[in-house]
Amino acid sequence: MTLTLTVSDEVRTLVPGFTHLAVEAHGLVNGPSDATSSALLDDAARRLTERLAGRTPDQDPHVAAWRAAYSAFGAKPSRTRNSAEALARRALADGGLPRINRLVDAYNAISVAHLIPVGGEDLNRIQGGMRLVRATGREEFVTVAGGEETIEHPEPGEVVWCDEAGVTCRRWNWRQGPRTRIDDDTTDALFLLESLEPMTLGDLRTAGEELAELLQKVSPGARITVRDPE
């Protein structure tokens, strides 16, 4: 059954022009990063350097739009950067992009190459549908701090993704919780690409289709569906 994704009217009003595209994949075979997934990240870093042409990531129009969106719900974009900017900065740093596992490497490569936030969720760990809402502050976000599981609560008004069990990602796409993240055991997953104006629907679709191609490359035989932007 296809996972339901809902964006609340409050979020639509706060940040008009938000669009997301989902790539659903089944029959995946994940595992540790390898030469194939590492090459995807290296190529993405090269493409990012060419795209920026000496600018910093925050000077890219799409990243600037995400910074404005974060400011709109009270987050400080220089302290809690959207996931695309955070990854881009790591790609440009001396240490380069982290190698996580084959599936995460694939979607991180798309995020960096296209400067778009991309997240991945294990479909078998999502409870009910997923909703993008403005938090009340009472929701639970299960995370890990100092090696111990702990429960945090989002700030009132913070934009969060959540399912029936609680928050899955804080501050829109800033920090994902461990409960639903993709790991080596993941076989079914949803990948979410999030865009704001001035990114066009055509550019969003291109990124989604390229992600589907990369997933086939790192996990041959997977059944992948690119859903229409919403």
Side-chain angles (χ1 to χ4, degrees):
M1 185 174 67
T2 298
L3 178 71
T4 301
L5 298 167
T6 305
V7 179
S8 73
D9 291 341
E10 284 186 324
V11 173
R12 296 282 190 196
T13 299
L14 181 73
V15 185
F18 169 67
T19 308
H20 65 272
L21 179 150
V23 177
E24 194 166 333
H26 297 270
L28 293 162
V29 178
N30 200 10
S33 302
D34 57 14
T36 297
S37 68
S38 185
L40 298 180
L41 293 171
D42 289 340
D43 182 63
R46 177 192 59 77
R47 291 166 63 183
L48 173 67
T49 299
E50 291 179 355
R51 173 177 178 148
L52 291 176
R55 296 175 299 158
T56 56
D58 59 287
Q59 292 174 313
D60 179 88
H62 194 223
V63 173
W66 275 105
R67 282 181 155 241
Y70 271 47
S71 295
F73 66 81
K76 296 181 179 178
S78 292
R79 289 184 56 191
T80 55
R81 295 186 175 95
N82 68 85
S83 64
E85 182 180 354
L87 269 180
R89 287 178 174 271
R90 294 194 71 172
L92 297 171
D94 290 340
L97 288 164
R99 272 57 176 167
I100 308 298
N101 57 55
R102 291 198 297 269
L103 297 179
V104 174
D105 290 352
Y107 79 72
N108 279 349
I110 293 299
S111 178
V112 169
H114 293 268
L115 271 181
I116 179 174
V118 183
E121 305 284 352
D122 188 309
L123 279 172
N124 296 316
R125 297 171 187 159
I126 294 292
Q127 299 186 31
M130 290 183 62
R131 296 171 290 118
L132 185 68
V133 301
R134 300 198 71 181
T136 64
R138 297 188 297 272
E139 299 88 348
E140 292 189 350
F141 177 71
V142 180
T143 187
V144 176
E148 299 290 333
E149 185 176 286
T150 185
I151 295 176
E152 297 178 353
H153 298 276
E155 298 291 331
E158 181 181 324
V159 177
V160 297
W161 279 103
C162 59
D163 66 1
E164 290 182 2
V167 174
T168 59
C169 196
R170 285 198 59 188
R171 294 178 189 164
W172 213 317
N173 47 51
W174 169 65
R175 180 188 291 169
Q176 183 185 28
R179 173 171 60 89
T180 61
R181 72 171 50 143
I182 290 172
D183 59 23
D184 287 356
D185 296 325
T186 297
T187 58
D188 305 306
L190 182 96
F191 303 89
L192 192 63
L193 294 78
E194 301 181 291
S195 72
L196 299 172
E197 296 174 348
M199 178 174 256
T200 67
L201 288 181
D203 288 341
L204 178 60
R205 287 192 180 96
T206 295
E209 289 165 1
E210 185 179 345
L211 175 57
E213 293 174 3
L214 298 194
L215 292 172
Q216 285 286 3
K217 184 174 291 188
V218 301
S219 182
R223 303 181 304 279
I224 301 171
T225 301
V226 180
R227 289 159 60 172
D228 290 332
E230 298 180 41

